Amino acid sequence: MSDHHVYKKVEIVGSSKTSIEEAIENAVAECGKSVKHMEWFEVMETRGHIVDGKVGHYQVVLKIGFRITNS
């Protein structure tokens, strides 16, 4: 049994009308439906959409790190 791990990263974008945190949570939850062994994330970009002078929605670009396994 090995004591090291190998990881791969994918870039995804999450959004929310409520908050940056919810945009992150939405992205991680949706990614978890198809990517297994997720271990960490990095927020690469934060941006939003303005509607009538107010925040319409938040958007975050994430890199999700997941462990490569043989099983």
Side-chain angles (χ1 to χ4, degrees), residues 21-46:
E21 290 83 2
E22 185 175 85
I24 293 168
E25 291 172 9
N26 291 344
V28 170
E30 196 64 30
C31 188
K33 292 178 182 179
S34 60
V35 175
K36 304 303 176 210
H37 310 293
M38 295 186 308
E39 301 240 342
W40 49 267
F41 70 89
E42 299 174 65
V43 176
M44 306 306 293
E45 296 178 37
T46 306

Side-chain angles (χ1 to χ4, degrees), residues 2 6-7 19-20 22 30-32 37 43-46 50 53 63-64 66 68:
S2 177
V6 175
Y7 298 90
S19 68
I20 291 168
E22 185 175 85
E30 196 64 30
C31 188
H37 310 293
V43 176
M44 306 306 293
E45 296 178 37
T46 306
I50 300 170
K63 286 191 180 177
I64 302 282
F66 60 96
I68 303 292

